[in-house]
Amino acid sequence: MHSYFILCLFQLRGKRIGIVGLGRIGLQVAKRLQQGFGCTVSYNSRKKKNPDQVPYPFYQDVRELAANSDALILCCGLTEQTRHAVDKEVLAALGKAGVIVNVARGAVVDEKEMVRCLVEGEIAGAGLDVFEDEPVVPKELLELDNVVLSPHSAVLTRESMMELARLVVGNLEAFFSNEPLLSEYEDD
């Protein structure tokens, strides 16, 4: 029922999507949305990316990004700067037709305010796989037809775990052979 309602509520093709956190994951989400669905992508990150490498418009302010988006997708890490970055003002800027998708960390959103906005129709819907006080899910979210909830399983597949193990072994071998690592840490 929940998934059906969100699908009827929101057609993805051609929408304006704001991404908070354009690191490795956020960039992959952006590419898929733009190439696969013809979405217009904008972003907010700690720092503006090189425009020659990242063609999406940058917004310094999350509220301004939300005001210019049909949906806001959260892909950032949880830091003191991102804790409750999506607050009352950001949700109001997203508006009655706006949808929030949080695949980052629950505390990036002021969950009580988001629940209130969903219940009172101040935003159209939400797709969530993380919650502020995990594993506790606010009971109001379980009762709403404009919310899709799923477990945060991230990369927990047999294939991805095997690939991760190969990468770890390869990095250890490179490190102890004084060769370049197969994967370097990339800061958002």
Side-chain angles (χ1 to χ4, degrees):
M1 169 81 168
H2 294 292
S3 298
Y4 177 75
F5 185 80
I6 289 289
L7 290 173
C8 292
L9 174 74
F10 194 83
Q11 177 180 325
L12 190 55
R13 179 159 304 286
K15 293 294 194 257
R16 300 170 305 150
I17 307 296
I19 297 178
V20 178
L22 202 69
R24 192 185 64 219
I25 294 170
L27 190 56
Q28 291 301 316
V29 169
K31 287 177 182 177
R32 285 166 173 79
L33 287 167
Q34 184 182 41
Q35 294 168 0
F37 296 96
C39 294
T40 302
V41 175
S42 302
Y43 76 98
N44 166 274
S45 270
R46 282 183 279 171
K47 56 189 174 196
K48 184 176 181 177
K49 308 296 182 188
N50 180 339
D52 293 334
Q53 297 172 343
V54 176
Y56 314 118
F58 172 75
Y59 285 84
Q60 180 71 40
D61 181 66
V62 176
R63 189 199 56 75
E64 187 180 344
L65 176 64
N68 290 286
S69 300
D70 299 309
L72 202 58
I73 301 177
L74 310 176
C75 300
C76 60
L78 179 61
T79 66
E80 286 305 313
Q81 291 76 29
T82 62
R83 180 176 297 283
H84 286 190
V86 177
D87 58 11
K88 182 178 184 174
E89 290 77 26
V90 171
L91 293 165
L94 187 57
K96 292 182 181 291
V99 173
I100 189 152
V101 176
N102 190 359
V103 295
R105 295 290 179 253
V108 171
V109 177
D110 179 341
E111 190 171 74
K112 288 180 184 174
E113 189 61 31
M114 179 190 63
V115 168
R116 186 193 66 73
C117 288
L118 287 162
V119 169
E120 295 180 12
E122 292 182 21
I123 61 173
L128 310 168
D129 74 349
V130 290
F131 308 95
E132 191 164 0
D133 187 27
E134 290 182 359
V136 178
V137 177
K139 73 176 183 75
E140 297 92 344
L141 292 177
L142 299 171
E143 298 167 356
L144 293 171
D145 286 335
N146 58 344
V147 176
V148 174
L149 306 173
S150 72
H152 185 74
S153 56
V155 297
L156 295 178
T157 65
R158 178 176 294 138
E159 295 87 356
S160 64
M161 299 305 343
M162 293 301 295
E163 182 61 31
L164 181 59
R166 281 191 288 274
L167 182 61
V168 168
V169 169
N171 274 329
L172 288 169
E173 289 172 345
F175 177 79
F176 289 112
S177 299
N178 290 323
E179 295 184 17
L181 298 179
L182 301 176
S183 61
E184 296 284 333
Y185 173 75
E186 184 179 315
D187 192 15
D188 172 30

